[in-house]
Amino acid sequence: MAAIKIEARGVTMAYTDKAGRSLPVLREVTLEVQEGEFVCLLGPSGCGKSTLLNILAGFEAPEEGEMRIDGRSVTGPDPRYLTIFQNYGLFPWRSVLGNVEYGLEIQGVPASRRRATAMEYLRLVGLLPFAHHHPRQLSGGMQQRVALARALAVDPDVIFMDEPFGALDAITRIKMQEELQRIWQQKKKTIVFVTHDIDEAVYLADRVVLFTSNPGRIKTVISIPISRPRDRSSPDFAALRDQIFTAFQMKQEGEPGEPEYYI
Amino acid sequence: MQRLERIFLSMAGLAGALTLWQVLAWAGLYPRYLFPWPGDVLQCVSQQLRQGVLGEHIAVSLFRFSGGYLAAAVVAIPLGLLLGWWRRLWVAVDPLVQVLRPISPIAWLPLVTLWFGIGDLPAIVIIFMAAFYPILLGTVTAVKNVDPVYIKVAKNFGASGRHILWRVIVPAAFPYITMGLHFALGTAWVFLVAGEMMGVRSGLGFLIIDARNSMDTGLVVAGMLVIGLLGLAIDRLFGWLERLACRRWGIVEEEGSRWPR
Ligand SMILES: Nc1ncnc2c1ncn2[C@@H]1O[C@H](COP(=O)(O)OP(=O)(O)OP(=O)(O)O)[C@@H](O)[C@H]1O
Ligand SMILES: [Mg+2]
């Protein structure tokens, strides 16, 4: 019996534009994430996925609604619930090792133990030989792995990822997905993962949360009951991919509706 | 472009300028005592060098310059960090800075000599004023332009406000602060002569004014030339230090190795 880790109840959010009008971004979003679950947020650009993630991670407060993690109200960012950003957010003035040590440094972990832990996580993401490089000497995929190692090093319960592989080429992307899945299975973290990519969502998620826009709200939630590691060419995989396509009305079936998702 | 070609081209440019100078001198628009020949200037320089006075003037000027410049950096960088970090304070101070900044340090000269008397101090103050605003504005801009994602990351890991300022904002802004410092170096050097035109009896600015008063135009041009060459040397030295620091900061020019050897 897995416990509920993250709970969003009726989260509503609006931004005010320059003319002072209120732009609804999220309306009545209610979502539960189980402990150890991998949930993907999937939806068209501008539907408020990043906004929801920012609220979950405590960087922004919702206008209405309630946010709880571990039963406690979210009031601000917390090292137990870490966000990995799309542009990695690595500190260019620190070496790869220095970046991975960062969170431990803030927690006051002594230098020698800090170094050992950081090295361990660099090994986990396969970047041990690059410990003394600067982040900008690494490729995008490698930088994303440094960001992952930096987050894992402080042993968080929850990892929020906002289109982490969005900037990577297709091959690197698939490698990173495989690696993330391996690490997730090994470390048993709860992961909330924003993506644009339907295949990525079907490959990674236990459940895919589909969003529609204007204002952003949850359209439907689709469970992915395929055992791991998943085979992208299996019929099950194709069926679930189809189900998502249909849900976004991108497939012409029966009554033609306005497509909600443009690629 | 090849290094050799670069050297050749800049030599050719210099030679062209020298030739033009000599041709203009031969054209005789002004008599020689008003329009010195290149040879005259060279003679002045070597004569000054032999007497050892040129070295003294240079040393005094460099002392005043570095005094004013370093003082400006010491005051303007912390102030800029504060103003860049604390938006409300900047909004309050910005109009004042915008009004004061266009006032040339030369316009301050009468007051500066009244307040600081004669000697090294007025010259140092003028250099200080010339360097102050570029360093201040460079630092404020640097802090404002720090990628907010760095601050988000630091907050997420539980960093305190003081930690964020010293361990995130300062290193993130550092390369751009350095750019402000570099820019201020050039701006302030220009005002060296102005600072040494009154109230002192030494320095390159004084050398020029003094030579003019004794109608020694060769020496005037020699002084100008020395200021130009020293300015160039200082700029290059700073550029070299800047590259060194940037490499330390991981802002590598692309020749850096991508793979471990
Ligand atoms: N700080 C802000 N101020 C005003 N409007 C904002 C702000 N942040 C986001 N928005 C608006 O809110 C809406 C949702 O933005 P959000 O970034 O959450 O979308 P998204 O689903 O993550 O899109 P994408 O897939 O393109 O990243 C957009 O219309 C955006 O313009
Ligand atoms: Mg987004």
Side-chain angles (χ1 to χ4, degrees):
Chain A
M1 241 340 270
I4 292 173
K5 190 74 181 173
I6 305 170
E7 242 183 307
R9 298 240 164 275
V11 168
T12 297
M13 185 73 179
Y15 287 113
T16 318
D17 68 5
K18 286 212 180 80
R21 279 170 309 195
S22 166
L23 297 171
V25 178
L26 292 171
R27 183 195 289 162
E28 292 281 324
V29 173
T30 295
L31 179 69
E32 277 178 5
V33 179
Q34 310 289 315
E35 181 145 19
E37 197 179 16
F38 200 128
V39 167
C40 279
L41 309 183
L42 184 69
S45 193
C47 70
K49 304 180 297 292
S50 298
T51 307
L52 180 61
L53 209 67
N54 266 321
I55 293 172
L56 292 174
F59 290 115
E60 277 179 85
E63 221 151 64
E64 272 171 51
E66 212 184 348
M67 277 291 323
R68 287 171 176 280
I69 303 183
D70 289 327
R72 277 185 301 272
S73 223
V74 173
T75 51
D78 187 311
R80 281 171 302 178
Y81 321 124
L82 277 183
T83 301
I84 297 182
F85 299 93
Q86 178 171 359
N87 46 3
Y88 324 124
L90 297 177
F91 301 134
W93 58 91
R94 281 170 174 251
S95 67
V96 165
L97 183 65
N99 267 282
V100 180
E101 282 185 35
Y102 181 75
L104 302 164
E105 212 174 293
I106 290 181
Q107 293 179 355
V109 176
S112 61
R113 204 144 57 78
R114 202 160 74 201
R115 177 141 306 199
T117 311
M119 286 299 210
E120 179 194 326
Y121 282 97
L122 278 176
R123 183 177 305 113
L124 181 74
V125 298
L127 286 180
L128 211 46
F130 296 91
H132 298 287
H133 279 57
H134 275 292
R136 292 196 184 156
Q137 291 173 292
L138 307 184
S139 70
M142 292 156 97
Q143 290 189 36
Q144 189 56 266
R145 281 188 278 165
V146 177
L148 189 59
R150 179 172 69 179
L152 289 169
V154 294
D155 196 24
D157 290 354
V158 180
I159 301 179
F160 298 109
M161 303 178 85
D162 192 354
E163 291 180 49
F165 309 147
L168 306 180
D169 65 88
I171 306 282
T172 313
R173 200 171 171 137
I174 286 176
K175 285 226 179 80
M176 290 296 296
Q177 291 164 6
E178 287 167 1
E179 197 151 315
L180 179 62
Q181 168 174 279
R182 173 179 65 83
I183 290 168
W184 170 71
Q185 285 185 312
Q186 194 179 331
K187 297 286 173 188
K188 309 211 165 15
K189 306 289 179 194
T190 306
I191 296 184
V192 180
F193 186 106
V194 170
T195 179
H196 272 132
D197 183 334
I198 295 177
D199 273 34
E200 184 166 79
V202 177
Y203 182 79
L204 288 171
D206 290 322
R207 285 189 302 148
V208 182
V209 179
L210 269 52
F211 277 79
T212 54
S213 42
N214 294 318
R217 65 215 120 92
I218 295 176
K219 186 183 177 69
T220 177
V221 180
I222 293 176
S223 292
I224 313 288
I226 312 176
S227 63
R228 300 169 200 263
R230 291 171 179 167
D231 176 3
R232 289 167 213 265
S233 56
S234 73
D236 290 356
F237 199 99
L240 279 159
R241 182 198 291 130
D242 256 35
Q243 201 184 328
I244 294 176
F245 268 93
T246 313
F248 279 125
Q249 297 181 14
M250 285 193 300
K251 295 197 80 171
Q252 304 291 317
E253 277 184 39
E255 81 277 30
E258 270 289 293
E260 291 178 41
Y261 196 108
Y262 299 90
I263 298 180
Chain B
M1 201 179 290
Q2 293 284 305
R3 191 185 168 79
L4 215 63
E5 194 183 355
R6 221 178 260 268
I7 292 172
F8 175 77
L9 283 176
S10 37
M11 285 300 168
L14 276 178
L18 272 177
T19 314
L20 188 67
W21 178 1
Q22 185 63 60
V23 168
L24 281 174
W26 276 329
L29 258 59
Y30 292 102
R32 189 164 174 173
Y33 73 93
L34 285 182
F35 194 98
W37 294 18
D40 301 346
V41 173
L42 208 68
Q43 213 178 343
C44 280
V45 173
S46 71
Q47 188 191 347
Q48 291 284 316
L49 276 175
R50 256 183 288 115
Q51 292 172 354
V53 276
L54 189 59
E56 268 169 46
H57 285 308
I58 289 175
V60 167
S61 282
L62 284 178
F63 160 73
R64 289 176 191 143
F65 179 78
S66 30
Y69 179 79
L70 290 178
V74 165
V75 177
I77 292 176
L79 196 60
L81 288 173
L82 194 73
L83 291 173
W85 181 235
W86 209 359
R87 299 288 156 95
R88 286 170 189 282
L89 200 60
W90 176 244
V91 173
V93 172
D94 186 35
L96 184 69
V97 173
Q98 298 306 333
V99 171
L100 288 178
R101 191 172 60 122
I103 303 173
S104 164
I106 295 175
W108 283 97
L109 203 54
L111 284 179
V112 166
T113 45
L114 284 177
W115 292 343
F116 297 98
I118 54 166
D120 292 335
L121 210 49
I124 293 175
V125 171
I126 292 297
I127 299 290
F128 176 92
M129 287 179 163
F132 182 79
Y133 290 108
I135 299 177
L136 180 76
L137 294 175
T139 309
V140 171
T141 317
V143 173
K144 279 186 173 176
N145 287 343
V146 168
D147 190 339
V149 81
Y150 297 148
I151 296 160
K152 270 178 134 180
V153 167
K155 279 190 178 154
N156 203 168
F157 279 106
S160 65
R162 220 182 60 205
H163 173 105
I164 291 177
L165 179 62
W166 291 111
R167 306 296 300 278
V168 179
I169 304 279
V170 169
F174 175 82
Y176 306 98
I177 294 177
T178 318
M179 272 164 56
L181 281 171
H182 195 163
F183 182 72
L185 196 68
T187 315
W189 185 252
V190 169
F191 287 97
L192 181 69
V193 179
E196 291 178 336
M197 282 210 289
M198 285 189 201
V200 288
R201 303 214 40 87
S202 61
L204 292 167
F206 165 77
L207 176 74
I208 290 176
I209 298 300
D210 193 47
R212 199 243 124 182
N213 289 342
S214 51
M215 285 305 281
D216 189 349
T217 51
L219 190 54
V220 170
V221 177
M224 289 162 63
L225 218 62
V226 170
I227 288 173
L229 287 172
L230 270 180
L232 177 71
I234 290 173
D235 182 79
R236 286 297 148 92
L237 179 71
F238 196 95
W240 178 74
L241 288 172
E242 208 176 354
R243 274 197 301 282
L244 216 67
C246 282
R247 204 162 306 150
R248 159 79 186 73
W249 239 246
I251 303 151
V252 278
E253 302 97 295
E254 279 315 303
E255 93 263 336
S257 64
R258 256 183 124 77
W259 306 99
R261 280 150 294 182

